[in-house]
Amino acid sequence: MDNLSNLPNPDGFFGNYGGKFVPETLMYALKELDEIYAKLKNDPKFLKEIDQDLVQFVGRPSPLYFAKRLTDHYSGPQIWLKREDLNHTGAHKINNTVGQILLAKAMGKKRIIAETGAGQHGVATATVAARLGLECHIYMGAADVKRQSLNVYRIKLLGAKVHAVDSGTATLKDALNEAMRDWVTNIEDTYYIIGSVTGPHPYPMIVRDFNAIVGRELKEQSLSLFSQYPDAIIACVGGGSNAMGIFYPFLQDEDVDLIGVEAAGRGLQSGEHAAPLNDGKPGILHGAKSYLMQDTNGQVVDTHSISAGLDYPGVGPEHSNLKDAGRANYIAVDDDEVLTSFHQVTKLEGIMPALETAHAFAALDHIVKNYSSNQYLVINVSGRGDKDINTVATMDGISLD
Ligand SMILES: *Cc1c(COP(=O)(O)O)cnc(C)c1O
């Protein structure tokens, strides 16, 4: 197999995917970002500053935890949890924003913008902007503003402005369009913190690198807690940043199965889902080539998922390449399986996962049978479920008013 860890190439391609398909105005800004990042990523002072923020502000390392009751329930392989839900602000997203805000600072930018789906990236961005005293604007689909009202209020409390986007399905894809438009208009003083391994080069690489701390910690923790690397690592995939962060350090360790879990929504057959790697075709969206949900005319189609953070028609280009290379497998689980899994994990482990994360747990029903009791599975617990309580209550037919 090619050395997958050496990608992207200098043009930003992971095999056939990635690149930068953007207007001329953005080309210069992307090149500037690429150059600054190339310099800083080997700068000991910069690396020390990030390390210190990850320890003292984010609360790293996150624990690797043995899920005993879940393991007993399946009576198969040992199930361990990488607890990104314990990070400051409640998800893996903060790993990326603490890094990117330092890039913004190094570039002398005074204004921060970001898009958000479930609101977790909006919260993580508003948090680091508040900490550095920078003006911050968050774009969010109007549908998501409604279903994630708790996070919208958190973002406002942190001093950022929320812009509700009404176009299209009023979800993450539309928020991304608006954020790109703002960036083109205000390119001089504005830094755009993209929240997943998506968008034009160098973003997929930068966001992966800042999240790869998760996989690096897992390497050390698994050796010290069970004396081997995991036999499989399971992570949910929206844009794909939590999955890429935990997969990346293991790409060369081919005995470790990498399993990504997409949102099958109302079922892959229904067409109402958000699973481009399971049921999509390569195309271009938001500045990069990748698997994409589109109709026969190449138009991007509407998506559906119970979880706002996975409700996106595209996926990071590196995942598209890992799929084609056969290095990672991508399955999909539907909304009903996710809701069942949310309740099961909460009751068995006393850990309430985000609905995004519940996709990774729901995958256990599909894959546990492939592993024996002397093997080790690790689930990336990308975030906690507090933000989703209203959605869960509604699905269960319970009114909280
Ligand atoms: C945003 C989010 C996701 C999806 O984003 P990825 O880039 O695919 O990781 C998953 N889980 C949680 C908790 C999130 O907040």
Side-chain angles (χ1 to χ4, degrees):
M1 195 182 290
D2 293 344
N3 190 338
L4 292 166
S5 321
N6 287 341
L7 297 176
N9 74 12
D11 295 324
F13 278 90
F14 303 87
N16 291 320
Y17 305 102
K20 32 184 167 177
F21 298 86
V22 295
E24 204 52 39
T25 9
L26 292 187
M27 273 298 191
Y28 177 77
L30 292 170
K31 185 161 167 275
E32 190 189 9
L33 177 59
D34 200 17
E35 284 167 3
I36 281 258
Y37 180 65
K39 210 165 68 192
L40 289 178
K41 78 174 180 191
N42 297 315
D43 175 352
K45 202 168 136 245
F46 181 78
L47 294 175
K48 194 167 160 234
E49 195 172 359
I50 289 195
D51 257 12
Q52 188 170 317
D53 285 354
L54 289 176
V55 171
Q56 297 178 359
F57 190 64
V58 177
R60 304 208 67 88
S62 71
L64 180 62
Y65 169 76
F66 178 48
K68 179 165 188 317
R69 295 231 302 144
L70 200 59
T71 298
D72 290 348
H73 172 80
Y74 283 105
S75 55
Q78 284 197 15
I79 299 166
W80 290 71
L81 311 181
K82 182 64 175 151
R83 300 289 311 276
E84 292 300 294
D85 57 314
L86 294 178
N87 293 341
H88 181 44
T89 71
H92 68 287
K93 297 262 172 36
I94 192 86
N95 299 321
N96 168 46
T97 59
V98 295
Q100 284 203 55
I101 199 87
L102 292 181
L103 295 179
K105 196 172 95 175
M107 294 170 88
K109 305 288 186 186
K110 299 275 177 283
R111 184 174 175 272
I112 301 297
I113 61 169
E115 85 295 338
T116 195
Q120 286 301 116
H121 179 56
V123 169
T125 301
T127 297
V128 294
R131 183 165 169 249
L132 294 192
L134 297 174
E135 177 185 336
C136 182
H137 298 264
I138 305 294
Y139 289 90
M140 191 166 183
D144 293 336
V145 167
K146 219 165 123 196
R147 62 177 160 174
Q148 301 289 339
S149 56
L150 187 66
N151 271 345
V152 172
Y153 187 52
R154 286 168 85 194
I155 294 167
K156 288 179 181 164
L157 287 172
L158 288 159
K161 183 156 169 31
V162 177
H163 302 264
V165 178
D166 281 313
S167 56
T169 44
T171 57
L172 182 55
K173 144 180 85 63
D174 313 293
L176 246 144
N177 285 336
E178 277 308 307
M180 287 259 187
R181 212 161 291 157
D182 179 317
W183 200 31
V184 173
T185 313
N186 301 295
I187 198 108
E188 284 302 317
D189 68 339
T190 298
Y191 185 99
Y192 180 12
I193 301 190
I194 291 187
S196 191
V197 287
T198 50
H201 178 68
Y203 280 106
M205 170 181 75
I206 291 177
V207 178
R208 174 200 70 195
D209 289 353
F210 286 140
N211 271 297
I213 181 73
V214 180
R216 289 198 301 273
E217 285 175 6
L218 175 56
K219 281 197 149 178
E220 276 183 31
Q221 291 169 322
S222 59
L223 287 180
S224 99
L225 288 168
F226 48 82
S227 307
Q228 63 160 81
Y229 287 160
D231 294 285
I233 301 172
I234 304 151
C236 65
V237 176
S241 65
N242 87 88
M244 218 45 250
I246 199 165
F247 289 177
Y248 182 67
F250 291 93
L251 289 183
Q252 300 303 312
D253 302 294
E254 292 186 22
D255 292 341
V256 181
D257 297 344
L258 305 176
I259 301 167
V261 187
E262 292 193 312
R266 299 194 174 99
L268 285 181
Q269 277 73 31
S270 73
E272 294 180 53
H273 59 74
L277 292 167
N278 280 274
D279 184 31
K281 293 191 307 269
I284 292 170
L285 179 68
H286 297 135
K289 186 171 174 202
S290 196
Y291 277 90
L292 191 58
M293 289 182 49
Q294 47 191 314
D295 64 19
T296 44
N297 297 319
Q299 292 295 317
V300 176
V301 299
D302 292 349
T303 52
H304 165 80
S305 168
I306 187 179
S307 113
L310 303 185
D311 206 346
Y312 179 64
V315 64
E318 191 161 12
H319 285 292
S320 293
N321 191 45
L322 293 178
K323 172 191 159 78
D324 285 7
R327 178 63 190 93
N329 284 319
Y330 297 90
I331 63 174
V333 297
D334 67 30
D335 289 351
D336 291 340
E337 294 176 276
V338 168
L339 193 63
T340 303
S341 182
F342 171 90
H343 285 296
Q344 174 176 285
V345 174
T346 301
K347 291 218 172 89
L348 285 179
E349 291 297 337
I351 293 170
M352 209 176 284
L355 285 174
E356 291 84 3
T357 313
H359 285 71
F361 281 106
L364 287 171
D365 285 332
H366 299 253
I367 61 156
V368 149
K369 60 177 184 297
N370 303 331
Y371 299 90
S372 58
S373 57
N374 59 2
Q375 293 189 294
Y376 299 85
L377 306 190
V378 171
I379 294 181
N380 199 18
V381 185
S382 56
R384 56 180 174 243
D386 310 40
K387 69 185 174 57
D388 294 316
I389 299 302
N390 283 318
T391 306
V392 170
T394 305
M395 296 283 289
D396 286 340
I398 291 164
S399 168
L400 297 179
D401 297 334

